[in-house]
Amino acid sequence: KQRKGTTDSIALDCMSCLLALGLTVEGLLNFAGEALVPSWEERDSYHIKLRKVCEKLGFKLDESDEPFRTLKELKEIRDRMAHAKPIKREREIASLAEIDRLLATDWDHYLTPEHVTGIYEQVDAFEKMIYGNPVIQERGILTCASGWSGDLKP
């Protein structure tokens, strides 16, 4: 869309990406936590789960360093989106630009392809930290299969 000069709905695409990235991080934490942390509680808060996983994998959890700085930012963005309050305004408007100004949210400035790409890169780095960690590798909890056994009939 951006290359074609079509800016309609890019912000919605970015919002979808940010929400999906937030879910990805949550899934990574639950994956590693379930495999490594005795009596893992999926319902624990994000910060407790992040701390426990980092402890088990030997990561220094410093939210002023990447990727943890960005993961913290992503969690805050995701929470603001997921728990947003309705915007109520009664007013006559003269233009679409005025509607945009009236309905602006505190996360709008995150809704650019550049910002989303930066967050994606840090989530990708975190994923590689987890999957590349010797503790995960040694336990053999990463498996994969592909192909068709031929046993199932359509």
Side-chain angles (χ1 to χ4, degrees), residues 47-105:
H47 298 290
I48 289 172
K49 292 195 287 189
L50 181 60
R51 182 184 48 77
K52 287 179 179 180
V53 166
C54 286
E55 271 177 26
K56 284 292 184 183
L57 294 176
F59 300 153
K60 180 183 176 213
L61 176 56
D62 181 348
E63 291 183 334
S64 65
D65 289 336
E66 294 295 2
F68 302 111
R69 184 188 67 75
T70 297
L71 296 182
K72 178 182 178 187
E73 176 186 51
L74 177 60
K75 174 67 171 140
E76 291 167 359
I77 296 167
R78 178 253 172 238
D79 286 350
R80 286 191 301 222
M81 288 180 184
H83 304 289
K85 304 295 181 242
I87 298 172
K88 296 177 185 178
R89 306 259 200 279
E90 287 188 34
R91 170 179 182 167
E92 299 224 5
I93 51 129
S95 69
L96 290 176
E98 190 173 352
I99 291 174
D100 288 343
R101 282 191 304 277
L102 289 171
L103 297 178
T105 66

Side-chain angles (χ1 to χ4, degrees), residues 21 24-25 27-29 31-32 50 53 57 59 67-68 71 119-133 136-137 142:
L21 287 168
T24 298
V25 172
L28 288 168
L29 292 174
F31 161 76
L50 181 60
V53 166
L57 294 176
F59 300 153
F68 302 111
L71 296 182
I119 291 176
Y120 167 81
E121 289 168 353
Q122 293 306 315
V123 171
D124 187 53
F126 182 61
E127 179 180 33
K128 287 175 179 162
M129 286 171 61
I130 289 177
Y131 290 156
N133 189 280
I136 295 287
Q137 305 259 326
L142 290 177

